[in-house]
Amino acid sequence: MPSLDLNGIEVNFPYEPYSCQVDYMKSVLESIIKRKNAILESPTGTGKTLCLLCSSISWLIAAKADMQFATIQRELEDVDPMRPNLINKSGINDQSENGKKLSYPKIIYASRTHSQLTQVIKELKMTQYKDIKTCAIGSRDQLCINPQVNQQKSYTTKLNMCKAKVNAKTCYFYNNVENILPELKTMTTVDIEDLNAFGNKHKCCPYYTARNLKEGADILFMPYNYLLDKKLRKSNNIDMNNTVVIFDEAHNVERVCEDSASAELSITDIASAMQEIGFILEEMKNMPDEESNFREEDPNDLENIGNSLANMPATLEEMKDILLILKSFEEELDNIKLQGQDGLTKPTSYLFELLGKCNVNFDRRAYLMDIIQRLLQYFGTQPPSPKHHNGVSLGKFENFLQTVLSDNSVSDDGSGDISKKIKKISQYYKVHIKNDNMKGKTLYFWCLCPGYSMQDLLAEGARCIILTSGTLSPISTFKEEMKIPFDVVLENPHIIKENQIKVLSLNKGPDNTILSSKYTNRDSENYVKSLGESICSFCKIVPHGVLVFFPSYRALESALDAWRKTNLWKKLGDLKSIFVESKGSKECNDTVVKYYEKIKDKRSNGAIMFAVCRGKISEGIDFNDNNGRAVIVTGLPFPLYTDPRVILKRQYLDENKTSSGTLWYNQQTYRAVNQAIGRVIRHKNDYGAILLCDERFSQMSSISQLPGWMRGHIKKMNDYNLALDELGKFFNVAVEKFPIIPKIPSLQSNVSYVQAQGHTSQQKGKNDMMVDIYSGYSSQNPSSMCCESNSSCGNSNNFYEALGQSGSSRSNCEANQLGACSRDQNSDENNFKLILQKRKMEEAKNGKCRVVIKDTVTVTETKSEKLNDSKALLQKISNMLSKEDYQTFKVALSNFYTAKKNSDNDKKIKYYKILRSLFSKNLEFFAEIEKFIQFTGVLKEKQQADSDDNQIKKSINLKRKIDDCI
């Protein structure tokens, strides 16, 4: 594992880094050490996450050591001349800055979703820093295991019920957290899955376990709305003092900043909240009173009334106060006159005046919040009922007041002058009222500046803020929107080569119809048909998985409906299995899983996924290798021009001269395109095509908005047939040049074992073999390695059986392969050595290490399964080829293997070309020959086999042989 000296910090990286990775880590360290905010753009596949983790954790280790060193020196009153150099390396000058005591530094790593964070933590576990203490912060939705709480549909209900059970100490899982505190000290790298597994094993609450782990953790992982929403930040007790804040996948951070500081309340919500409070008042009314059955001389009656009153969450006066506020607010909202569907926009001062009439202001905030929270906790103790809905609407009212009456440091200068505070808030907000078909008249309190939340985060003591993503361009306007300085800026190039990417911009379809998804054209019958025919042609050429992105759900549904009415839908289905993105999260995840399965299915021609820019498929889901060989973008996903929030945002930017409203509008469009494009090319050995099917992509104004690494690859295609030729040539080369190399199984499991030639010993009480690998390497007797020929030979037999070849042909093939096994015996030892060298060995002591090999991934199928697959595929090919061509195909394949047996490379290439030519007559056969090549290995035998690929294959075969021996 290479050790790098970057900016004076020792960084341990898992492998020799690329120059762009070194530049990236230097920028991260510069930001942290010098306390400067950073914007870092690095394309997908450049190892951004690994660079972030290794560089930031290396600094953290150095910083903690420097602070401990400073503390010891201060206690000993010993001035060491080396101290300034040691301290300045990490940028930690002392334990206090600007008169404020510094806490030990921490890192908060935030991304968009929990699934993205899970992937980050998996990468962390593969580094030398895997033992650093981490904790994932999640909500009760992800972490609650109490069955009664979990069955509630509303998160507000879950929250209130959980709080009520915790306060009453009636949750067994929460009560058990204290019992497992000693075991928490042994937990290091922890994600959401680990917390749930730990909670289920020990019958303790994962949510409160995480809160305990958080205090001692060096890194906190959380979705970035937990960090940007001040309410969530407070509820999770997140201390920002001396914290390095990293926002990964930060292209969405602008909108999350605005959404977390915004709120809405409908007249329906207000009416429901009044009904919920009315339920509690009804409960109080039904209590016995002094004038009914109360008997003063009976002490039991006195006790019952006292207990009933004690169980009430608030006094009668307090509840009437909240009820009166809600009623007044409802009347004020109802009296607002709206004209048309556009609604009414007002300055922020209008909302504070309206709230003032209802007796709601900053001075009464704490009083009102206290009452509402007590009422919500009371609802948490009640069984679900349509009479109160467990306080869901009252919770919305609480959230609205918390947002409007926020104590954001940007608006609060500490003077206590409320008028100045409201004036400051007005610079960032607008109020909009409109009729909603479902909720009735609704009041929106919209934050129009992401810098409002970002400035507040920095003001709470964050050491620095790092925003990073693969798609942040153009960075200049991104910086302006954040309202905080960014002194460290990096735009990294991609690490892929020119022959790994093909970017084509198409202006016309196969019938010369202009491809344009403009609003006025997207429903045109000719355009929709031409687009569908184009996609069909691409699917004949592109192997495996294809992703097609539309500008909106409406455009997607409109096009699919039109294709279903014609034979286009059937043509697409014959070429590839069809999947369509669902709007719901669970349904979408299920669709993606089925799509992956279809790509892996050897009997399939691949799959096509129809999705939407800004949808779930376009962000955060990995379509590496065969899962995504091409991305087709059918248009520009402009935000809805008439949306009130979009209109107000553009006006806000124009009025404040921060940026141009029109420029912002266009940039939102291309950021969505860039995210969709990022689904292809997921690592340095990946390859794929990007097909931009809208004439506007050919304009320089559009090209300038695309990622910098991609601009040099764009080729404008005015001739549709030439575009198909370009695409076909690209995949012909890429498929051969970048084969998918199977991964060698991990050596970190005790599922099965391999014994190398050398001395072995059994650990007492364990199943691990301790192997002296050096002794094994020095052995000069390869024959001592026992192997059975059946374990690895005959891989191609099933094709001969499917083709009806003679037994002699099969035996010749077997003999050839057995001979190869014998000839390769001398290299087997080196192959096994290669496996061991490629993996980090654990518990290395005195030249010995534990060698434990996990159950291997399925390298070959059973004979019957493979024979059935082969027959099915050959039947398809037989149907597609003429009788004469199919006979040529069988003869060429047989001659190819004869040439292979005789090691005649010239003939191998000759017969390979014959096989290839049979399928080049019609592009429709391309996917089939691609699939067949995967079965037979023809492609990899065309010329000299790739040495690394062959070595890995031999290593896997050797492992199987040894397993059979054992």
Side-chain angles (χ1 to χ4, degrees):
M1 183 173 289
S3 180
L4 313 169
D5 187 341
L6 304 177
N7 296 32
I9 303 294
E10 183 183 353
V11 179
N12 290 301
F13 206 64
Y15 51 82
E16 196 64 40
Y18 296 100
S19 59
C20 66
Q21 292 174 327
V22 172
D23 293 341
Y24 189 91
M25 288 189 281
K26 283 182 176 179
S27 296
V28 172
L29 290 169
E30 180 185 355
S31 169
I32 300 174
I33 293 170
K34 297 182 179 179
R35 303 198 69 163
K36 293 180 177 181
N37 304 317
I39 290 183
L40 311 175
E41 184 182 62
S42 193
T44 302
T46 54
K48 168 172 54 70
T49 300
L50 206 56
C51 292
L52 268 175
L53 291 170
C54 291
S55 55
S56 60
I57 295 173
S58 298
W59 171 84
L60 182 68
I61 293 169
K64 292 181 77 170
D66 286 348
M67 290 187 76
Q68 291 168 358
F69 180 73
T71 302
I72 293 170
Q73 282 195 341
R74 191 181 302 105
E75 289 175 354
L76 298 175
E77 296 182 351
D78 179 20
V79 179
D80 188 331
M82 290 182 66
R83 178 185 164 196
N85 292 330
L86 288 170
I87 304 304
N88 287 334
K89 278 189 176 181
S90 64
I92 300 289
N93 296 315
D94 209 332
Q95 284 196 313
S96 63
E97 279 187 16
N98 300 325
K100 184 178 181 180
K101 182 178 175 60
L102 285 177
S103 59
Y104 271 104
K106 285 189 177 184
I107 297 170
I108 294 181
Y109 194 112
S111 193
R112 194 172 67 90
T113 64
H114 280 294
S115 60
Q116 289 173 338
L117 290 171
T118 298
Q119 292 300 316
V120 173
I121 294 172
K122 283 181 180 177
E123 289 206 39
L124 174 59
K125 289 178 179 178
M126 294 189 294
T127 70
Q128 186 171 316
Y129 306 104
K130 62 183 179 181
D131 293 326
I132 197 162
K133 288 192 173 293
T134 71
C135 181
I137 304 298
S139 69
R140 289 167 175 83
D141 273 337
Q142 288 92 28
L143 294 173
C144 179
I145 59 173
N146 186 306
Q148 190 178 355
V149 177
N150 248 339
Q151 68 183 7
Q152 307 306 315
K153 295 181 179 179
S154 163
Y155 178 72
T156 304
T157 306
K158 286 183 181 180
L159 175 66
N160 298 335
M161 187 176 289
C162 173
K163 286 183 176 180
K165 286 183 174 294
V166 167
N167 289 338
K169 294 192 178 297
T170 57
C171 177
Y172 168 79
F173 302 98
Y174 169 76
N175 296 340
N176 204 28
V177 171
E178 291 184 5
N179 299 330
I180 52 86
L181 289 179
E183 292 198 40
L184 294 184
K185 295 178 180 178
T186 63
M187 298 181 73
T188 53
T189 310
V190 181
D191 61 16
I192 294 292
E193 293 175 2
D194 296 327
L195 287 167
N196 277 311
F198 184 84
N200 284 305
K201 178 182 177 181
H202 296 279
K203 303 301 178 188
C204 63
C205 174
Y207 179 79
Y208 282 97
T209 298
R211 291 176 78 105
N212 278 282
L213 279 172
K214 176 174 69 69
E215 301 307 319
D218 294 309
I219 308 181
L220 299 179
F221 293 96
M222 65 187 73
Y224 45 60
N225 62 305
Y226 283 50
L227 195 57
L228 293 170
D229 190 327
K230 195 175 185 74
K231 303 183 291 296
L232 291 175
R233 208 158 62 234
K234 277 188 171 182
S235 67
N236 286 292
N237 297 319
I238 298 172
D239 182 13
M240 301 305 302
N241 186 18
N242 205 21
T243 297
V244 174
V245 180
I246 297 171
F247 288 100
D248 197 3
E249 303 299 334
H251 50 273
N252 283 318
V253 82
E254 291 172 284
R255 189 57 185 262
V256 176
C257 281
E258 293 176 354
D259 287 346
S260 64
S262 300
E264 65 179 69
L265 192 68
S266 72
I267 203 163
T268 304
D269 295 330
I270 297 171
S272 297
M274 290 168 64
Q275 181 184 351
E276 289 164 358
I277 294 180
F279 168 81
I280 301 179
L281 290 172
E282 192 68 27
E283 291 282 299
M284 294 183 73
K285 191 185 293 184
N286 293 334
M287 288 169 49
D289 55 36
E290 297 183 29
E291 297 178 1
S292 57
N293 299 325
F294 172 67
R295 294 171 295 173
E296 189 173 349
E297 66 278 6
D298 189 342
N300 289 330
D301 280 353
L302 281 170
E303 185 178 349
N304 290 338
I305 292 174
N307 289 338
S308 297
L309 289 171
N311 288 332
M312 287 296 109
T315 65
L316 185 61
E317 289 74 18
E318 288 173 335
M319 283 189 280
K320 283 183 176 179
D321 197 359
I322 299 295
L323 195 60
L324 186 61
I325 288 171
L326 288 167
K327 188 173 182 181
S328 301
F329 201 3
E330 183 186 40
E331 290 173 355
E332 291 291 337
L333 198 56
D334 198 42
N335 290 334
I336 298 173
K337 303 298 181 185
L338 300 178
Q339 295 180 350
Q341 297 296 319
D342 296 336
L344 181 70
T345 300
K346 292 284 188 180
T348 310
S349 56
Y350 172 84
L351 176 58
F352 286 102
E353 290 172 7
L354 189 150
L355 289 173
K357 293 177 184 178
C358 304
N359 201 19
V360 176
N361 52 51
F362 283 98
D363 293 335
R364 301 191 74 209
R365 176 179 58 191
Y367 164 75
L368 296 174
M369 291 298 104
D370 177 58
I371 298 171
I372 294 173
Q373 284 167 14
R374 281 187 274 131
L375 293 173
L376 290 174
Q377 285 191 31
Y378 175 78
F379 284 123
T381 64
Q382 303 299 306
S385 167
K387 291 183 178 180
H388 56 71
H389 302 288
N390 290 97
V392 171
S393 295
L394 191 60
K396 291 180 181 179
F397 181 62
E398 179 203 29
N399 181 69
F400 181 80
L401 291 185
Q402 281 185 327
T403 303
V404 175
L405 303 177
S406 171
D407 56 352
N408 188 298
S409 58
V410 178
S411 58
D412 192 352
D413 60 1
S415 66
D417 189 332
I418 300 300
S419 61
K420 285 176 65 177
K421 186 180 180 76
I422 293 173
K423 187 176 180 180
K424 188 74 173 176
I425 293 173
S426 299
Q427 295 176 17
Y428 300 95
Y429 282 87
K430 288 290 183 184
V431 175
H432 188 77
I433 306 108
K434 70 172 184 177
N435 281 315
D436 186 283
N437 293 333
M438 299 293 292
K439 300 181 288 187
K441 195 174 291 183
T442 305
L443 187 148
Y444 298 91
F445 183 62
W446 282 331
C447 178
L448 301 174
C449 177
Y452 186 72
S453 295
M454 201 61 72
Q455 285 176 303
D456 186 46
L457 199 64
L458 202 58
E460 288 190 9
R463 180 177 183 84
C464 65
I465 295 175
I466 299 173
L467 305 180
T468 183
S469 178
T471 51
L472 292 175
S473 298
I475 288 177
S476 57
T477 53
F478 196 86
K479 289 169 63 177
E480 291 173 359
E481 280 267 79
M482 291 297 121
K483 298 292 183 185
I484 59 174
F486 287 96
D487 299 314
V488 179
V489 178
L490 176 71
E491 292 183 77
N492 245 347
H494 214 302
I495 57 174
I496 60 169
K497 299 173 183 176
E498 189 173 352
N499 57 359
Q500 290 175 257
I501 184 76
K502 176 63 68 174
V503 187
L504 302 178
S505 173
L506 287 88
N507 296 335
K508 298 176 183 178
D511 55 357
N512 280 330
T513 299
I514 297 295
L515 296 178
S516 173
S517 71
K518 288 181 180 177
Y519 184 75
T520 54
N521 189 58
R522 67 176 55 159
D523 292 328
S524 163
E525 186 177 334
N526 290 337
Y527 160 71
V528 173
K529 180 184 176 184
S530 187
L531 177 65
E533 293 287 359
S534 301
I535 293 172
C536 279
S537 298
F538 298 148
C539 286
K540 293 175 183 177
I541 299 173
V542 179
H544 310 299
V546 177
L547 307 172
V548 183
F549 289 99
F550 283 79
S552 65
Y553 282 107
R554 182 191 171 282
L556 168 65
E557 290 161 3
S558 176
L560 297 190
D561 286 343
W563 296 338
R564 287 187 184 105
K565 295 174 184 176
T566 67
N567 68 336
L568 265 172
W569 190 253
K570 185 179 182 304
K571 282 175 67 177
L572 277 169
D574 290 341
L575 292 167
K576 293 185 184 293
S577 299
I578 300 174
F579 295 87
V580 182
E581 178 182 8
S582 305
K583 292 183 181 180
S585 295
K586 186 181 183 305
E587 294 83 357
C588 183
N589 291 337
D590 292 342
T591 302
V592 172
V593 170
K594 291 175 183 176
Y595 173 87
Y596 287 161
E597 289 172 352
K598 186 58 67 174
I599 297 294
K600 292 177 182 177
D601 186 352
K602 295 185 175 76
R603 293 164 294 185
S604 163
N605 296 331
I608 183 169
M609 174 75 78
F610 289 104
V612 174
C613 292
R614 296 193 189 89
K616 296 176 180 63
I617 298 293
S618 70
E619 298 191 34
I621 298 180
D622 198 13
F623 291 95
N624 64 318
D625 296 325
N626 289 341
N627 292 326
R629 286 303 180 201
V631 164
I632 302 172
V633 183
T634 67
L636 295 172
F638 286 101
L640 184 61
Y641 196 80
T642 56
D643 183 279
R645 192 167 182 178
V646 172
I647 293 171
L648 290 174
K649 175 72 176 183
R650 293 175 64 201
Q651 290 175 355
Y652 167 82
L653 292 171
D654 288 336
E655 290 168 3
N656 288 273
K657 294 183 172 38
T658 304
S659 176
S660 161
T662 303
L663 182 62
W664 168 84
Y665 184 73
N666 290 331
Q667 286 169 355
Q668 296 305 303
T669 302
Y670 287 99
R671 282 213 183 109
V673 170
N674 294 344
Q675 272 303 112
I677 287 171
R679 297 313 93 203
V680 73
I681 312 295
R682 304 297 294 180
H683 56 81
K684 66 183 179 68
N685 294 318
D686 208 351
Y687 65 90
I690 298 169
L691 307 171
L692 307 173
C693 298
D694 190 306
E695 63 171 351
R696 291 171 291 180
F697 282 115
S698 298
Q699 300 168 7
M700 284 307 300
S701 57
S702 293
I703 294 173
S704 65
Q705 301 284 346
L706 296 173
W709 63 267
M710 197 180 100
R711 291 174 207 150
H713 297 286
I714 297 175
K715 200 167 185 178
K716 301 178 187 178
M717 305 300 298
N718 293 317
D719 188 311
Y720 178 78
N721 290 323
L722 285 178
L724 294 184
D725 288 343
E726 285 276 337
L727 197 61
K729 290 175 184 175
F730 167 75
F731 279 109
N732 277 335
V733 174
V735 167
E736 297 179 22
K737 198 169 184 65
F738 304 103
I740 299 176
I741 300 174
K743 295 180 180 178
I744 298 176
S746 168
L747 301 182
Q748 296 180 6
S749 170
N750 56 359
V751 179
S752 60
Y753 308 96
V754 168
Q755 179 175 338
Q757 175 68 21
H759 304 295
T760 64
S761 63
Q762 186 83 16
Q763 283 186 319
K764 189 174 182 180
K766 294 187 178 181
N767 295 323
D768 306 320
M769 288 287 189
M770 295 300 293
V771 183
D772 185 344
I773 58 176
Y774 303 109
S775 172
Y777 292 160
S778 62
S779 172
Q780 298 299 317
N781 184 16
S783 62
S784 63
M785 296 286 283
C786 175
C787 68
E788 295 182 18
S789 60
N790 291 341
S791 65
S792 62
C793 295
N795 289 338
S796 300
N797 292 356
N798 297 308
F799 270 98
Y800 282 93
E801 291 178 23
L803 284 165
Q805 298 294 327
S806 66
S808 60
S809 298
R810 294 198 299 273
S811 61
N812 287 340
C813 177
E814 288 174 4
N816 175 57
Q817 289 176 323
L818 285 168
C821 286
S822 176
R823 287 192 302 272
D824 288 343
Q825 280 287 339
N826 291 331
S827 63
D828 281 346
E829 195 172 69
N830 291 330
N831 291 334
F832 186 57
K833 180 178 177 181
L834 176 67
I835 298 180
L836 299 180
Q837 287 177 330
K838 282 200 168 190
R839 290 290 181 267
K840 176 184 174 184
M841 294 303 177
E842 295 183 338
E843 301 179 8
K845 290 182 180 179
N846 300 320
K848 292 184 178 182
C849 65
R850 184 175 64 186
V851 181
V852 187
I853 295 188
K854 184 186 286 188
D855 278 346
T856 60
V857 292
T858 303
V859 180
T860 57
E861 298 173 294
T862 65
K863 184 173 181 179
S864 60
E865 287 173 339
K866 196 164 183 84
L867 180 58
N868 290 336
D869 287 348
S870 304
K871 284 182 176 178
L873 181 60
L874 288 169
Q875 184 60 48
K876 279 176 128 181
I877 295 174
S878 174
N879 294 338
M880 298 169 78
L881 294 174
S882 67
K883 189 176 288 187
E884 181 183 349
D885 283 348
Y886 186 63
Q887 188 61 33
T888 303
F889 166 77
K890 291 170 65 176
V891 172
L893 185 64
S894 179
N895 288 338
F896 172 84
Y897 277 109
T898 301
K900 180 181 176 183
K901 180 183 73 172
N902 297 328
S903 301
D904 189 336
N905 287 331
D906 291 337
K907 285 190 177 181
K908 276 200 296 183
I909 294 173
K910 173 186 173 182
Y911 291 115
Y912 168 80
K913 287 179 178 179
I914 293 173
L915 288 169
R916 205 61 188 174
S917 67
L918 291 172
F919 295 90
S920 62
K921 294 177 182 178
N922 192 320
L923 289 172
E924 185 179 354
F925 299 156
F926 184 92
E928 295 299 335
I929 188 62
E930 169 70 13
K931 183 65 64 178
F932 192 80
I933 286 169
Q934 285 190 354
F935 279 129
T936 62
V938 176
L939 186 61
K940 293 171 188 172
E941 298 290 341
K942 177 183 176 184
Q943 291 177 327
Q944 290 185 352
D946 180 81
S947 59
D948 290 339
D949 189 36
N950 278 345
Q951 278 192 322
I952 292 172
K953 280 183 174 180
K954 289 177 183 177
S955 300
I956 294 174
N957 288 337
L958 177 61
K959 187 264 168 190
R960 290 204 307 270
K961 295 174 191 175
I962 298 171
D963 277 349
D964 289 340
C965 293
I966 295 173

